[in-house]
Amino acid sequence: RLAKSLGTGLGTASQGVTVVSLDGQWLKLLQAEGPPRARRITKLLACPVQGSSPEDILQQLNKACAAEEILPKDVLIANPTHLSTVRLFSLPSTDPKEIRDIVDLQAEKHTPYAKDEVLTDFKVIDRDKSGYSRVLLVITHQDVVHRAVRLAEASGWTLERVGCELEGLVHWSQLARHAAGGQPRATG
């Protein structure tokens, strides 16, 4: 089942997560264990894949996972940021429907591809009391995402969701701010 859109939010029920990122040069994998707010990285893997066929990449991934004893859990695909269009902006609304409508218009403005060739999603990073929302918009060509989805499926992994590498940094920043005693910000 290929992705119809990018997803937002990280899985919270599992005791572990496996994140996969695939671009034209590297296959990267990160595995973390533990509950969501106390996860620790247990495995890291980076394999050069430039010029490799999908079959070669699959074989390389399976061999590396076996050697490193990596058992995937809650598999997330982190679409590489350099293969995406990413925008961070403020909108004069906190209403989810209004935000969705505005984001859809913004997405069309920021891509040279036809609407049916791209995958888009957004995450509300912050809402303030004056009625504004800070939004992270991610747009990517579906072929980039589908390549990684096909790899996960060919590996026999159950895909939890597809997101963007930048989301991980945003999530980490929010957790770090909360752990340091800062006020957690509303997300949506």
Side-chain angles (χ1 to χ4, degrees):
R1 112 189 124 84
L2 297 180
K4 301 285 189 243
S5 72
L6 299 173
T8 57
L10 295 174
T12 57
S14 174
Q15 289 294 309
V17 64
T18 303
V19 181
V20 178
S21 177
L22 177 64
D23 64 18
Q25 296 181 354
W26 292 95
L27 167 65
K28 297 176 268 185
L29 184 143
L30 174 143
Q31 188 153 14
E33 303 287 335
R37 292 200 178 264
R39 286 196 173 131
R40 67 189 196 322
I41 296 172
T42 57
K43 303 281 183 178
L44 285 173
L45 180 67
C47 303
V49 296
Q50 188 168 10
S52 298
S53 70
E55 295 79 18
D56 291 340
I57 295 171
L58 176 62
Q59 184 178 17
Q60 190 173 4
L61 174 63
N62 289 336
K63 184 187 275 188
C65 285
E68 295 294 324
E69 298 178 353
I70 295 172
L71 300 172
K73 302 173 182 176
D74 280 357
V75 177
L76 309 176
I77 291 177
N79 192 52
T81 302
H82 69 279
L83 297 177
S84 302
T85 300
V86 179
R87 297 290 182 260
L88 185 62
F89 52 91
S90 292
L91 300 176
S93 178
T94 58
D95 175 44
K97 184 179 176 347
E98 276 185 47
I99 292 172
R100 168 52 74 187
D101 292 343
I102 295 169
V103 164
D104 286 344
L105 290 172
Q106 288 292 318
E108 286 182 37
K109 248 175 52 173
H110 291 289
T111 181
Y113 302 111
K115 190 174 183 175
D116 62 339
E117 293 180 26
V118 296
L119 302 173
T120 64
D121 209 349
F122 70 96
K123 180 175 184 158
V124 176
I125 306 274
D126 186 24
R127 291 185 176 105
D128 66 27
K129 293 175 185 168
S130 65
Y132 278 77
S133 297
R134 192 145 173 84
V135 176
L136 173 68
L137 169 64
V138 180
I139 308 163
T140 192
H141 197 279
Q142 66 182 357
D143 291 348
V144 173
V145 173
H146 291 172
R147 181 177 182 214
V149 169
R150 285 186 196 102
L151 177 67
E153 289 176 344
S155 295
W157 299 350
T158 301
L159 183 60
E160 178 74 21
R161 66 177 293 274
V162 176
C164 180
E165 288 176 339
L166 188 58
E167 278 184 271
L169 292 174
V170 169
H171 185 70
W172 171 81
S173 172
Q174 289 171 334
L175 288 175
R177 182 178 29 241
H178 180 70
Q183 292 296 328
R185 297 191 173 191
T187 60

